[in-house]
Amino acid sequence: MAQESSHVVHAADTHRVVVIVDENSNPFELGCATEIFGLRRPELGRDLYDFRLCSPEPRTPMRDGFFTLTGVAGLEAAEAADTLIVPNRPDVEVPRRAAVLDAIRRAHARGARLVGFCSGAFTLAEAGVLDGRRATAHWQWADSFRARFPSVRLETDVLFVDDGDILTAAGSAAALDLGLHIVRRDHGAEVANSVSRRLVFAAHRDGGQRQFVERPVPDAPDESLAPVLAWAQEHLDAPLTVSGLAARASVSPATLHRRFRAQLGTTPLAWLTAERLALACRLIERGEPHLETVARRSGLGTGANLRALMRRRIGLTPLEYRRRFGPGTGQGSP
């Protein structure tokens, strides 16, 4: 199965994302990386990343022999990566190739960003770059991971962990959450929303949400949160409360809270805050100059509250965010 970079001509300053594919790698996470980082973005008027695959061998059998990957670059392509996505695979107890681990260590030493999807955390830990660092992995491998890598600060009840230059996602679908988080971090909320729309995937699930929900598919259609979520997203500037949302859904606040936990893995208040913060970021990217106006229109109340939330959740002040993603920066939407 031949595969080459999705971009034939690359701008010199385009961020390079390289995925290492090794024997028995999972196709799903490879597909997630390709969808998020490898596709052209004509709707944005520009490409976001220079993307390519590489492998230590000319022929790479994927998980369970589903197919064989050929025609990709050699492992030397990892040397030019700004972001390196490491191999993940189901046989977590089998040691990774020394050449792959060495490539990861060299990338880390020169300051590249490292990303592990699902069992990719095992690859990063085996390379020694996670010692003393925060990370996550799929909940079913938590005990095995802790036994093998006790120096890693494993967080087992989150979707993904952003520890600066090393990011890890808990499981298969969480690879999409982390990928969109990276796009948001690199290009802003507006661009990330555009990518999520093309994926037909939720634009933002905070990394701190639980890895799994109690009931992934509601037992009864009338228990779906979709109507009240859609209504709340249209009224984020209003003084929404949990009791008000519960009344809108014709349930008690306790029942609403249980349904949020069961269906979204978070609380109503945490969901509201994340949605409002995402709206505030979009308003800044679209050029709204007044911080108090952004705070009011997003439902966050005051500029001081918005500033505190952005520092805590995004790591940037509103002014820093505007300088990085505002109109005319080339980062936000055209």
Side-chain angles (χ1 to χ4, degrees), residues 196-207:
S196 72
R197 284 195 298 270
R198 184 162 166 179
L199 284 167
V200 195
F201 189 75
H204 183 271
R205 289 200 301 168
D206 186 74

Side-chain angles (χ1 to χ4, degrees), residues 11-23:
D13 59 349
T14 304
H15 187 101
R16 294 186 181 92
V17 176
V18 177
V19 181
I20 300 178
V21 186
D22 202 1
E23 183 177 3

Side-chain angles (χ1 to χ4, degrees), residues 23-25 88-96 119 141 148:
E23 183 177 3
N24 215 25
S25 286
N88 71 302
R89 61 193 196 193
D91 49 346
V92 296
E93 301 298 331
V94 177
R96 270 53 174 168
S119 59
W141 290 319
R148 289 181 60 189

Side-chain angles (χ1 to χ4, degrees), residues 5-16 36-51 183 186-187 191 195 198 330-332 334:
S5 172
S6 63
H7 301 170
V8 178
V9 179
H10 310 293
D13 59 349
T14 304
H15 187 101
R16 294 186 181 92
I36 292 175
F37 303 111
L39 298 189
R40 292 187 176 276
R41 301 292 173 188
E43 67 274 17
L44 297 176
R46 59 193 173 90
D47 292 338
L48 302 181
Y49 299 97
D50 175 346
F51 176 85
V183 173
D186 291 346
H187 299 280
V191 170
V195 175
R198 184 162 166 179
Q331 292 292 323

